[in-house]
Amino acid sequence: MAANSVTQELVLKLEHVAVGYSRRVILPDVNLHLRRGSFTGLLGANGSGKSTLLKTILGILPPLQGCIALVPVEGRAPVLGYMPQRDSLDPIYPLSSFEIVLMAACGRVGPGRIVNKTERDFARHCLAETGAADLSPKMFAQLSGGQKQRVLMARALATKPDFLLLDEPTAGIDAQATHAVMEVLKQIHQQHRLTVLLVSHDLATVRQYAEDVIWLHEGRLLHGAVGELLTRDKIEELLSLQLH
Amino acid sequence: MDTLREILSPNFLLRNSIYISLLVGLVCPLVGVYLTLRRLIFMGVALPQISSCGVAFAFSLQAWGIIPHLHEREHGLAFIGSTLFTLPTILVLALMARRGGGSVEGRLGTVYVLAGAWSILLLVTNPLGEHGLLDMLKGEIIAISNGDLMWTAGSFGAVVLTLFLFRKEFLLVSFDREMAITLQKNVVFWDALLFLLIGLAISMAVLSVGPLVAFGFLLIPPLTAHLFARNMRQFALLASGIGGATALVGFCLAYRWDYPVGPTDVALLGVVYFLSFAVKKFWGFCSQATGRG
Protein backbone atom coordinates (compact mmCIF):
# COMPACT_ATOMS: atom_id res chain seq x y z
CA MET A 1 0.00 0.00 0.00
CA ALA A 2 1.33 3.41 -0.90
CA ALA A 3 1.40 4.82 2.61
CA ASN A 4 2.86 8.13 1.49
CA SER A 5 -0.27 8.80 -0.61
CA VAL A 6 -2.34 9.20 2.56
CA THR A 7 -2.40 12.78 3.74
CA GLN A 8 -3.58 14.25 7.01
CA GLU A 9 -6.09 16.30 5.04
CA LEU A 10 -9.65 15.22 5.79
CA VAL A 11 -12.16 14.23 3.15
CA LEU A 12 -15.13 13.44 5.37
CA LYS A 13 -16.32 14.61 8.78
CA LEU A 14 -19.31 13.24 10.67
CA GLU A 15 -20.15 14.90 13.96
CA HIS A 16 -22.81 13.54 16.28
CA VAL A 17 -24.67 11.99 13.40
CA ALA A 18 -27.61 9.68 14.08
CA VAL A 19 -28.14 7.14 11.33
CA GLY A 20 -31.25 5.10 10.57
CA TYR A 21 -34.46 4.73 8.59
CA SER A 22 -37.51 6.87 9.26
CA ARG A 23 -37.66 6.99 13.06
CA ARG A 24 -35.61 3.86 13.68
CA VAL A 25 -32.16 4.86 14.89
CA ILE A 26 -29.49 2.28 14.11
CA LEU A 27 -26.36 4.26 15.04
CA PRO A 28 -27.24 7.04 17.52
CA ASP A 29 -24.01 9.04 17.69
CA VAL A 30 -21.45 8.67 14.92
CA ASN A 31 -18.29 10.75 15.04
CA LEU A 32 -15.93 9.99 12.24
CA HIS A 33 -13.10 11.62 10.29
CA LEU A 34 -11.64 10.07 7.14
CA ARG A 35 -8.30 11.14 5.69
CA ARG A 36 -7.85 11.85 2.00
CA GLY A 37 -6.25 8.92 0.20
CA SER A 38 -7.03 6.40 2.94
CA PHE A 39 -8.39 2.91 2.35
CA THR A 40 -10.90 2.13 5.08
CA GLY A 41 -12.86 -1.05 5.65
CA LEU A 42 -16.29 -0.74 7.26
CA LEU A 43 -16.95 -3.96 9.17
CA GLY A 44 -19.89 -5.21 11.16
CA ALA A 45 -22.38 -8.00 11.51
CA ASN A 46 -25.57 -8.19 9.44
CA GLY A 47 -27.95 -5.45 10.52
CA SER A 48 -25.24 -3.47 12.31
CA GLY A 49 -25.84 -0.46 10.07
CA LYS A 50 -22.92 -0.66 7.61
CA SER A 51 -24.91 -0.03 4.46
CA THR A 52 -27.14 2.49 6.24
CA LEU A 53 -24.09 4.50 7.31
CA LEU A 54 -22.67 4.32 3.78
CA LYS A 55 -25.95 5.53 2.25
CA THR A 56 -26.13 8.36 4.76
CA ILE A 57 -22.62 9.49 3.81
CA LEU A 58 -23.61 9.29 0.14
CA GLY A 59 -26.70 11.46 0.73
CA ILE A 60 -29.11 8.69 -0.24
CA LEU A 61 -30.52 8.65 3.29
CA PRO A 62 -30.80 11.86 5.29
CA PRO A 63 -29.08 11.83 8.69
CA LEU A 64 -31.59 11.75 11.55
CA GLN A 65 -29.48 14.38 13.30
CA GLY A 66 -25.97 15.80 13.28
CA CYS A 67 -23.74 17.12 10.55
CA ILE A 68 -22.02 15.42 7.61
CA ALA A 69 -19.35 17.44 5.81
CA LEU A 70 -17.59 16.39 2.65
CA VAL A 71 -14.49 18.55 2.40
CA PRO A 72 -14.22 20.36 -0.96
CA VAL A 73 -11.54 19.32 -3.43
CA GLU A 74 -9.86 22.21 -5.27
CA GLY A 75 -12.79 24.45 -4.38
CA ARG A 76 -15.53 22.11 -5.62
CA ALA A 77 -17.68 19.47 -3.97
CA PRO A 78 -15.95 16.09 -4.11
CA VAL A 79 -17.28 13.58 -6.65
CA LEU A 80 -18.52 10.40 -5.02
CA GLY A 81 -18.06 7.12 -6.87
CA TYR A 82 -20.61 4.63 -5.62
CA MET A 83 -20.66 0.90 -6.18
CA PRO A 84 -23.96 -0.54 -4.92
CA GLN A 85 -24.65 -4.14 -4.07
CA ARG A 86 -25.13 -5.82 -7.43
CA ASP A 87 -28.39 -7.49 -6.38
CA SER A 88 -29.97 -4.08 -5.87
CA LEU A 89 -30.01 -3.57 -9.64
CA ASP A 90 -33.03 -4.98 -11.44
CA PRO A 91 -32.07 -7.59 -14.08
CA ILE A 92 -35.15 -6.72 -16.18
CA TYR A 93 -33.23 -3.83 -17.80
CA PRO A 94 -31.72 -4.95 -21.13
CA LEU A 95 -28.50 -3.00 -20.60
CA SER A 96 -25.10 -3.84 -21.98
CA SER A 97 -22.12 -3.49 -19.65
CA PHE A 98 -21.00 -0.51 -21.73
CA GLU A 99 -24.35 1.23 -21.19
CA ILE A 100 -24.04 0.63 -17.45
CA VAL A 101 -20.60 2.27 -17.33
CA LEU A 102 -21.72 5.11 -19.58
CA MET A 103 -24.32 6.11 -16.95
CA ALA A 104 -21.45 7.58 -14.95
CA ALA A 105 -21.15 10.31 -17.58
CA CYS A 106 -24.48 11.75 -16.36
CA GLY A 107 -22.54 13.50 -13.63
CA ARG A 108 -20.65 15.57 -16.23
CA VAL A 109 -22.93 15.67 -19.27
CA GLY A 110 -25.92 17.93 -18.69
CA PRO A 111 -29.56 17.01 -19.34
CA GLY A 112 -30.43 16.90 -23.02
CA ARG A 113 -26.80 16.78 -24.09
CA ILE A 114 -25.33 13.91 -26.04
CA VAL A 115 -22.64 11.73 -24.48
CA ASN A 116 -19.70 12.43 -26.78
CA LYS A 117 -16.88 10.24 -28.06
CA THR A 118 -14.49 11.33 -25.32
CA GLU A 119 -16.91 10.10 -22.66
CA ARG A 120 -17.50 6.86 -24.56
CA ASP A 121 -13.77 6.27 -24.86
CA PHE A 122 -13.34 6.98 -21.17
CA ALA A 123 -16.06 4.42 -20.32
CA ARG A 124 -14.16 1.84 -22.41
CA HIS A 125 -10.93 2.83 -20.65
CA CYS A 126 -12.56 2.27 -17.24
CA LEU A 127 -13.83 -1.13 -18.34
CA ALA A 128 -10.31 -2.01 -19.45
CA GLU A 129 -8.87 -0.77 -16.17
CA THR A 130 -11.07 -3.18 -14.19
CA GLY A 131 -10.28 -6.03 -16.57
CA ALA A 132 -13.78 -5.98 -18.06
CA ALA A 133 -13.08 -4.73 -21.60
CA ASP A 134 -14.35 -7.93 -23.17
CA LEU A 135 -17.62 -7.65 -21.22
CA SER A 136 -18.52 -4.34 -22.86
CA PRO A 137 -21.14 -5.63 -25.36
CA LYS A 138 -22.50 -8.34 -23.07
CA MET A 139 -25.77 -7.94 -21.21
CA PHE A 140 -25.14 -6.96 -17.61
CA ALA A 141 -27.96 -9.16 -16.31
CA GLN A 142 -26.33 -12.26 -17.79
CA LEU A 143 -22.88 -11.77 -16.23
CA SER A 144 -21.52 -13.75 -13.29
CA GLY A 145 -21.25 -12.13 -9.86
CA GLY A 146 -17.55 -11.36 -10.21
CA GLN A 147 -18.00 -9.94 -13.72
CA LYS A 148 -20.84 -7.69 -12.54
CA GLN A 149 -18.63 -6.36 -9.76
CA ARG A 150 -15.92 -5.46 -12.26
CA VAL A 151 -18.42 -3.61 -14.44
CA LEU A 152 -19.87 -1.76 -11.45
CA MET A 153 -16.38 -0.85 -10.31
CA ALA A 154 -15.68 0.49 -13.80
CA ARG A 155 -18.86 2.56 -13.55
CA ALA A 156 -17.84 3.97 -10.17
CA LEU A 157 -14.42 4.78 -11.64
CA ALA A 158 -16.02 6.41 -14.70
CA THR A 159 -17.56 9.08 -12.44
CA LYS A 160 -13.95 10.33 -11.99
CA PRO A 161 -14.41 10.14 -8.23
CA ASP A 162 -12.48 11.79 -5.45
CA PHE A 163 -13.97 9.36 -2.97
CA LEU A 164 -14.94 5.77 -3.80
CA LEU A 165 -17.59 4.07 -1.67
CA LEU A 166 -18.29 0.39 -2.19
CA ASP A 167 -21.13 -1.63 -0.66
CA GLU A 168 -20.18 -5.30 -0.18
CA PRO A 169 -18.28 -5.68 -3.46
CA THR A 170 -17.24 -9.25 -2.62
CA ALA A 171 -20.54 -10.55 -1.24
CA GLY A 172 -21.69 -13.77 -2.84
CA ILE A 173 -18.72 -14.32 -5.13
CA ASP A 174 -16.13 -17.09 -4.89
CA ALA A 175 -12.62 -16.71 -3.46
CA GLN A 176 -10.95 -16.37 -6.85
CA ALA A 177 -13.33 -13.64 -8.00
CA THR A 178 -13.02 -11.90 -4.63
CA HIS A 179 -9.23 -11.83 -4.99
CA ALA A 180 -9.50 -10.49 -8.56
CA VAL A 181 -11.97 -7.75 -7.57
CA MET A 182 -9.92 -6.69 -4.56
CA GLU A 183 -6.67 -6.62 -6.54
CA VAL A 184 -8.34 -4.31 -9.09
CA LEU A 185 -9.55 -2.09 -6.25
CA LYS A 186 -6.10 -2.01 -4.68
CA GLN A 187 -4.55 -1.05 -7.99
CA ILE A 188 -7.11 1.71 -8.54
CA HIS A 189 -6.53 3.04 -5.03
CA GLN A 190 -2.79 3.18 -5.54
CA GLN A 191 -2.82 4.59 -9.07
CA HIS A 192 -5.46 7.28 -8.54
CA ARG A 193 -4.69 8.00 -4.85
CA LEU A 194 -8.42 7.62 -4.22
CA THR A 195 -10.03 7.67 -0.82
CA VAL A 196 -11.79 4.33 -0.48
CA LEU A 197 -14.50 3.29 1.96
CA LEU A 198 -15.31 -0.39 1.61
CA VAL A 199 -18.30 -1.97 3.34
CA SER A 200 -17.72 -5.63 4.03
CA HIS A 201 -18.55 -8.39 6.44
CA ASP A 202 -15.41 -10.25 5.37
CA LEU A 203 -12.82 -9.67 8.06
CA ALA A 204 -10.02 -11.40 6.14
CA THR A 205 -10.50 -9.19 3.06
CA VAL A 206 -10.52 -5.99 5.11
CA ARG A 207 -7.45 -7.12 7.05
CA GLN A 208 -5.57 -7.86 3.81
CA TYR A 209 -6.43 -4.75 1.81
CA ALA A 210 -7.49 -1.89 4.10
CA GLU A 211 -5.27 0.44 6.10
CA ASP A 212 -7.92 1.60 8.54
CA VAL A 213 -11.01 -0.08 9.81
CA ILE A 214 -14.36 1.10 11.16
CA TRP A 215 -16.06 -1.56 13.24
CA LEU A 216 -19.77 -1.26 13.99
CA HIS A 217 -20.80 -3.27 16.99
CA GLU A 218 -24.05 -2.97 18.95
CA GLY A 219 -24.63 0.64 17.92
CA ARG A 220 -21.05 1.69 18.69
CA LEU A 221 -18.39 2.68 16.19
CA LEU A 222 -14.71 1.88 16.61
CA HIS A 223 -12.22 3.46 14.24
CA GLY A 224 -8.53 2.74 14.00
CA ALA A 225 -5.71 1.20 12.04
CA VAL A 226 -6.12 -2.39 10.89
CA GLY A 227 -3.05 -3.37 12.92
CA GLU A 228 -4.65 -2.01 16.10
CA LEU A 229 -8.28 -3.05 15.72
CA LEU A 230 -8.04 -6.38 13.96
CA THR A 231 -5.74 -8.13 16.41
CA ARG A 232 -6.81 -11.45 17.86
CA ASP A 233 -7.28 -10.00 21.36
CA LYS A 234 -9.32 -7.04 20.17
CA ILE A 235 -11.58 -9.19 18.03
CA GLU A 236 -12.11 -11.58 20.94
CA GLU A 237 -12.98 -8.66 23.14
CA LEU A 238 -15.39 -7.21 20.62
CA LEU A 239 -17.15 -10.42 19.82
CA SER A 240 -16.91 -11.75 23.38
CA LEU A 241 -15.75 -15.17 22.21
CA GLN A 242 -12.64 -17.29 22.18
CA LEU A 243 -10.92 -17.85 18.85
CA HIS A 244 -9.09 -21.12 18.44
CA MET B 1 -51.62 -5.48 -51.18
CA ASP B 2 -54.61 -3.81 -52.81
CA THR B 3 -56.03 -3.04 -49.38
CA LEU B 4 -52.72 -1.58 -48.25
CA ARG B 5 -52.46 0.53 -51.41
CA GLU B 6 -56.01 1.78 -50.92
CA ILE B 7 -55.41 2.61 -47.24
CA LEU B 8 -52.19 4.49 -47.94
CA SER B 9 -53.76 6.51 -50.74
CA PRO B 10 -54.01 10.28 -49.93
CA ASN B 11 -57.67 10.16 -50.96
CA PHE B 12 -58.54 7.37 -48.55
CA LEU B 13 -61.62 8.44 -46.61
CA LEU B 14 -60.34 7.13 -43.25
CA ARG B 15 -56.78 8.36 -43.72
CA ASN B 16 -56.82 10.29 -40.41
CA SER B 17 -57.86 7.12 -38.62
CA ILE B 18 -54.90 5.17 -40.00
CA TYR B 19 -52.55 8.03 -39.07
CA ILE B 20 -53.91 8.03 -35.50
CA SER B 21 -53.56 4.24 -35.28
CA LEU B 22 -49.97 4.46 -36.47
CA LEU B 23 -49.15 7.24 -33.99
CA VAL B 24 -50.55 5.23 -31.09
CA GLY B 25 -48.77 2.11 -32.32
CA LEU B 26 -45.43 3.89 -32.56
CA VAL B 27 -45.57 6.05 -29.42
CA CYS B 28 -47.38 3.99 -26.75
CA PRO B 29 -44.72 1.24 -26.75
CA LEU B 30 -42.00 3.87 -26.10
CA VAL B 31 -43.90 4.91 -22.97
CA GLY B 32 -44.67 1.28 -22.16
CA VAL B 33 -40.93 0.54 -22.12
CA TYR B 34 -40.64 2.53 -18.89
CA LEU B 35 -43.77 0.99 -17.36
CA THR B 36 -42.31 -2.46 -18.11
CA LEU B 37 -38.83 -1.68 -16.80
CA ARG B 38 -40.13 -0.04 -13.64
CA ARG B 39 -42.43 -3.03 -13.10
CA LEU B 40 -45.49 -0.81 -13.26
CA ILE B 41 -47.35 -2.79 -15.90
CA PHE B 42 -50.54 -2.84 -13.86
CA MET B 43 -50.39 0.94 -13.89
CA GLY B 44 -50.77 0.61 -17.65
CA VAL B 45 -54.11 -1.13 -17.02
CA ALA B 46 -55.39 1.26 -14.37
CA LEU B 47 -54.39 4.55 -16.00
CA PRO B 48 -56.31 4.17 -19.28
CA GLN B 49 -59.36 3.33 -17.19
CA ILE B 50 -58.81 6.45 -15.05
CA SER B 51 -58.37 8.45 -18.23
CA SER B 52 -61.73 7.14 -19.52
CA CYS B 53 -63.34 8.08 -16.23
CA GLY B 54 -61.92 11.59 -16.62
CA VAL B 55 -63.45 11.84 -20.12
CA ALA B 56 -66.82 10.63 -18.83
CA PHE B 57 -66.66 13.10 -15.95
CA ALA B 58 -65.84 16.03 -18.24
CA PHE B 59 -68.83 15.22 -20.46
CA SER B 60 -71.03 14.79 -17.40
CA LEU B 61 -70.18 18.32 -16.33
CA GLN B 62 -71.62 19.40 -19.66
CA ALA B 63 -74.71 17.27 -19.23
CA TRP B 64 -75.30 18.55 -15.71
CA GLY B 65 -75.06 22.12 -17.00
CA ILE B 66 -72.00 22.96 -14.89
CA ILE B 67 -70.04 23.91 -18.00
CA PRO B 68 -71.51 25.03 -21.37
CA HIS B 69 -71.79 22.70 -24.34
CA LEU B 70 -68.70 22.80 -26.56
CA HIS B 71 -69.93 21.14 -29.71
CA GLU B 72 -66.87 21.87 -31.81
CA ARG B 73 -64.36 21.42 -29.02
CA GLU B 74 -65.41 18.14 -27.46
CA HIS B 75 -62.05 16.56 -28.15
CA GLY B 76 -60.36 19.32 -26.16
CA LEU B 77 -62.81 18.91 -23.31
CA ALA B 78 -62.20 15.15 -23.29
CA PHE B 79 -58.45 15.76 -23.26
CA ILE B 80 -58.71 18.11 -20.27
CA GLY B 81 -60.89 15.65 -18.35
CA SER B 82 -58.61 12.76 -19.17
CA THR B 83 -55.42 14.61 -18.26
CA LEU B 84 -56.81 16.06 -15.02
CA PHE B 85 -57.69 12.57 -13.84
CA THR B 86 -54.62 10.75 -15.17
CA LEU B 87 -51.74 12.98 -14.06
CA PRO B 88 -52.57 13.29 -10.34
CA THR B 89 -53.38 9.56 -10.21
CA ILE B 90 -50.10 8.52 -11.80
CA LEU B 91 -48.12 10.82 -9.51
CA VAL B 92 -49.89 9.56 -6.36
CA LEU B 93 -49.57 5.90 -7.40
CA ALA B 94 -45.89 6.34 -8.25
CA LEU B 95 -45.24 8.07 -4.94
CA MET B 96 -46.99 5.29 -3.03
CA ALA B 97 -45.10 2.63 -4.98
CA ARG B 98 -41.80 4.40 -4.21
CA ARG B 99 -42.59 4.62 -0.50
CA GLY B 100 -43.39 0.92 -0.36
CA GLY B 101 -45.73 -0.71 2.09
CA GLY B 102 -49.11 -2.16 1.26
CA SER B 103 -49.94 -3.99 -1.93
CA VAL B 104 -49.15 -2.15 -5.18
CA GLU B 105 -51.29 -4.61 -7.15
CA GLY B 106 -54.12 -4.14 -4.67
CA ARG B 107 -54.04 -0.37 -5.06
CA LEU B 108 -53.91 -0.54 -8.86
CA GLY B 109 -56.68 -3.14 -8.95
CA THR B 110 -58.85 -0.93 -6.76
CA VAL B 111 -58.20 2.12 -8.95
CA TYR B 112 -58.99 0.06 -12.06
CA VAL B 113 -62.27 -1.33 -10.83
CA LEU B 114 -63.46 1.95 -9.28
CA ALA B 115 -62.59 3.93 -12.40
CA GLY B 116 -64.41 1.37 -14.55
CA ALA B 117 -67.50 1.47 -12.38
CA TRP B 118 -67.59 5.28 -12.27
CA SER B 119 -67.10 5.55 -16.03
CA ILE B 120 -70.20 3.40 -16.58
CA LEU B 121 -72.22 5.25 -13.96
CA LEU B 122 -71.29 8.61 -15.46
CA LEU B 123 -72.14 7.32 -18.92
CA VAL B 124 -75.60 6.01 -18.07
CA THR B 125 -76.53 9.21 -16.30
CA ASN B 126 -75.39 11.28 -19.27
CA PRO B 127 -77.71 11.67 -22.27
CA LEU B 128 -74.69 12.47 -24.43
CA GLY B 129 -73.35 8.99 -23.66
CA GLU B 130 -75.79 7.48 -26.12
CA HIS B 131 -74.22 9.44 -28.91
CA GLY B 132 -70.55 10.31 -29.25
CA LEU B 133 -69.16 9.64 -25.80
CA LEU B 134 -69.59 5.87 -25.83
CA ASP B 135 -67.82 5.70 -29.19
CA MET B 136 -64.96 7.75 -27.83
CA LEU B 137 -64.52 5.47 -24.82
CA LYS B 138 -64.75 2.37 -27.01
CA GLY B 139 -62.02 3.79 -29.16
CA GLU B 140 -63.95 4.12 -32.38
CA ILE B 141 -61.48 5.89 -34.59
CA ILE B 142 -63.65 6.40 -37.61
CA ALA B 143 -64.21 10.15 -37.54
CA ILE B 144 -60.99 11.97 -36.74
CA SER B 145 -60.86 15.61 -37.78
CA ASN B 146 -57.70 17.21 -39.12
CA GLY B 147 -57.56 19.36 -35.98
CA ASP B 148 -57.76 16.33 -33.67
CA LEU B 149 -55.08 14.59 -35.71
CA MET B 150 -52.72 17.57 -35.51
CA TRP B 151 -53.36 17.95 -31.80
CA THR B 152 -52.63 14.25 -31.17
CA ALA B 153 -49.55 14.29 -33.40
CA GLY B 154 -48.24 17.40 -31.66
CA SER B 155 -48.73 15.93 -28.19
CA PHE B 156 -47.17 12.60 -29.12
CA GLY B 157 -44.32 14.45 -30.84
CA ALA B 158 -43.63 16.42 -27.66
CA VAL B 159 -43.65 13.20 -25.60
CA VAL B 160 -41.25 11.39 -27.94
CA LEU B 161 -38.92 14.38 -28.21
CA THR B 162 -38.75 14.77 -24.42
CA LEU B 163 -38.22 11.03 -23.91
CA PHE B 164 -35.40 11.13 -26.48
CA LEU B 165 -33.73 14.28 -25.17
CA PHE B 166 -33.65 13.15 -21.55
CA ARG B 167 -33.28 9.42 -22.12
CA LYS B 168 -30.08 9.13 -20.10
CA GLU B 169 -31.62 10.91 -17.11
CA PHE B 170 -34.83 8.82 -17.26
CA LEU B 171 -32.79 5.63 -17.55
CA LEU B 172 -30.49 6.53 -14.67
CA VAL B 173 -33.26 7.41 -12.19
CA SER B 174 -35.24 4.34 -13.24
CA PHE B 175 -32.36 1.84 -13.12
CA ASP B 176 -30.27 3.13 -10.24
CA ARG B 177 -31.95 5.85 -8.22
CA GLU B 178 -29.23 5.75 -5.56
CA MET B 179 -26.48 6.43 -8.05
CA ALA B 180 -28.53 9.26 -9.53
CA ILE B 181 -28.64 10.85 -6.07
CA THR B 182 -24.87 10.51 -5.66
CA LEU B 183 -24.48 12.26 -9.03
CA GLN B 184 -26.54 15.17 -7.67
CA LYS B 185 -29.54 14.47 -9.91
CA ASN B 186 -32.93 15.75 -8.79
CA VAL B 187 -34.60 12.35 -8.85
CA VAL B 188 -38.02 13.67 -7.78
CA PHE B 189 -38.05 16.09 -10.73
CA TRP B 190 -37.01 13.43 -13.28
CA ASP B 191 -39.51 10.93 -11.90
CA ALA B 192 -42.28 13.52 -12.01
CA LEU B 193 -41.40 14.52 -15.59
CA LEU B 194 -41.35 10.89 -16.72
CA PHE B 195 -44.72 10.16 -15.14
CA LEU B 196 -46.12 13.36 -16.60
CA LEU B 197 -45.09 12.17 -20.07
CA ILE B 198 -46.57 8.74 -19.42
CA GLY B 199 -49.80 10.33 -18.23
CA LEU B 200 -49.98 12.65 -21.23
CA ALA B 201 -49.35 9.84 -23.70
CA ILE B 202 -51.96 7.62 -22.06
CA SER B 203 -54.53 10.43 -22.05
CA MET B 204 -54.01 11.05 -25.77
CA ALA B 205 -54.03 7.34 -26.60
CA VAL B 206 -57.26 6.72 -24.69
CA LEU B 207 -58.95 9.60 -26.50
CA SER B 208 -57.77 8.22 -29.83
CA VAL B 209 -58.24 4.48 -29.52
CA GLY B 210 -59.89 3.77 -26.14
CA PRO B 211 -58.53 2.18 -22.95
CA LEU B 212 -58.32 -1.43 -24.19
CA VAL B 213 -56.21 -0.64 -27.25
CA ALA B 214 -54.10 1.92 -25.37
CA PHE B 215 -53.20 -0.71 -22.78
CA GLY B 216 -52.52 -3.26 -25.51
CA PHE B 217 -49.97 -0.98 -27.19
CA LEU B 218 -48.46 0.09 -23.87
CA LEU B 219 -47.83 -3.47 -22.76
CA ILE B 220 -47.50 -6.06 -25.51
CA PRO B 221 -44.90 -4.48 -27.87
CA PRO B 222 -42.41 -3.83 -25.02
CA LEU B 223 -42.90 -7.38 -23.72
CA THR B 224 -42.27 -8.74 -27.22
CA ALA B 225 -39.24 -6.53 -27.79
CA HIS B 226 -37.82 -7.52 -24.39
CA LEU B 227 -37.46 -11.09 -25.64
CA PHE B 228 -34.83 -10.02 -28.18
CA ALA B 229 -33.33 -6.68 -27.11
CA ARG B 230 -29.67 -6.65 -26.07
CA ASN B 231 -29.50 -2.98 -25.14
CA MET B 232 -31.81 -0.05 -24.49
CA ARG B 233 -31.72 1.35 -28.01
CA GLN B 234 -32.75 -1.99 -29.49
CA PHE B 235 -35.45 -2.31 -26.84
CA ALA B 236 -37.06 1.06 -27.60
CA LEU B 237 -36.77 0.79 -31.40
CA LEU B 238 -38.03 -2.80 -31.52
CA ALA B 239 -41.00 -2.02 -29.25
CA SER B 240 -41.97 1.02 -31.29
CA GLY B 241 -41.44 -0.85 -34.58
CA ILE B 242 -43.60 -3.77 -33.48
CA GLY B 243 -46.32 -1.37 -32.33
CA GLY B 244 -46.27 0.65 -35.57
CA ALA B 245 -46.23 -2.40 -37.85
CA THR B 246 -49.03 -4.10 -35.91
CA ALA B 247 -51.15 -0.95 -36.02
CA LEU B 248 -50.77 -0.78 -39.82
CA VAL B 249 -51.41 -4.47 -40.46
CA GLY B 250 -54.24 -4.51 -37.91
CA PHE B 251 -55.94 -1.59 -39.67
CA CYS B 252 -55.59 -3.34 -43.04
CA LEU B 253 -57.10 -6.55 -41.69
CA ALA B 254 -59.94 -4.73 -39.94
CA TYR B 255 -60.73 -2.75 -43.10
CA ARG B 256 -60.50 -5.80 -45.35
CA TRP B 257 -62.81 -7.98 -43.23
CA ASP B 258 -64.88 -5.17 -41.68
CA TYR B 259 -63.77 -5.88 -38.11
CA PRO B 260 -63.48 -3.25 -35.36
CA VAL B 261 -59.95 -1.80 -35.55
CA GLY B 262 -59.05 -1.73 -31.83
CA PRO B 263 -59.77 -5.36 -30.93
CA THR B 264 -58.15 -6.48 -34.21
CA ASP B 265 -54.96 -4.59 -33.29
CA VAL B 266 -54.83 -6.12 -29.80
CA ALA B 267 -55.55 -9.64 -31.08
CA LEU B 268 -52.77 -9.22 -33.63
CA LEU B 269 -50.38 -7.97 -30.93
CA GLY B 270 -51.16 -11.16 -29.02
CA VAL B 271 -50.35 -13.30 -32.06
CA VAL B 272 -47.06 -11.43 -32.58
CA TYR B 273 -46.13 -11.90 -28.92
CA PHE B 274 -46.83 -15.63 -28.84
CA LEU B 275 -45.02 -16.21 -32.15
CA SER B 276 -42.03 -14.23 -30.88
CA PHE B 277 -42.04 -16.20 -27.65
CA ALA B 278 -42.06 -19.48 -29.60
CA VAL B 279 -39.23 -18.28 -31.86
CA LYS B 280 -37.19 -17.23 -28.81
CA LYS B 281 -37.70 -20.63 -27.14
CA PHE B 282 -36.84 -22.47 -30.36
CA TRP B 283 -33.77 -20.31 -30.81
CA GLY B 284 -32.62 -21.04 -27.24
CA PHE B 285 -33.23 -24.76 -27.75
CA CYS B 286 -31.20 -24.77 -30.98
CA SER B 287 -28.34 -22.84 -29.30
CA GLN B 288 -28.25 -25.33 -26.44
CA ALA B 289 -28.31 -28.28 -28.84
CA THR B 290 -25.48 -26.75 -30.90
CA GLY B 291 -23.49 -26.12 -27.71
CA ARG B 292 -23.90 -29.73 -26.59
CA GLY B 293 -23.05 -31.03 -30.05
Side-chain angles (χ1 to χ4, degrees), chain B residues 126-162:
Chain B
N126 184 350
L128 284 172
E130 295 171 8
H131 303 291
L133 181 55
L134 198 57
D135 285 347
M136 186 175 279
L137 292 180
K138 278 163 60 185
E140 295 289 354
I141 47 175
I142 303 301
I144 305 284
S145 69
N146 286 337
D148 290 349
L149 176 66
M150 295 308 288
W151 176 240
T152 307
S155 304
F156 277 156
V159 168
V160 172
L161 185 67
T162 314

Side-chain angles (χ1 to χ4, degrees), chain A residues 55 58-60 80 82 84 89-90 92-96 99-100 103-104 106-107 109-113 115 139-140 142 155 159, chain B residues 34 36-39 165-169 171-172 174-179 181-185 190 226 229-233 235:
Chain A
K55 287 178 181 178
L58 283 160
I60 295 166
L80 305 179
Y82 172 46
L89 302 173
D90 194 337
I92 197 174
Y93 285 76
L95 290 163
S96 68
E99 285 177 311
I100 296 270
M103 282 180 188
C106 280
V109 182
R113 292 183 177 273
V115 178
M139 281 184 76
F140 181 74
Q142 294 174 356
R155 186 179 71 160
T159 58
Chain B
Y34 285 98
T36 307
L37 293 179
R38 296 181 77 135
R39 298 187 185 269
L165 271 178
F166 303 122
R167 61 196 182 284
K168 66 178 188 302
E169 284 76 22
L171 180 61
L172 180 64
S174 301
F175 177 68
D176 194 347
R177 187 179 177 84
E178 292 184 348
M179 188 188 181
I181 293 170
T182 67
L183 292 178
Q184 310 294 319
K185 296 291 169 193
W190 291 112
H226 195 263
R230 308 284 299 175
N231 55 49
M232 278 302 292
R233 182 184 294 180
F235 187 29

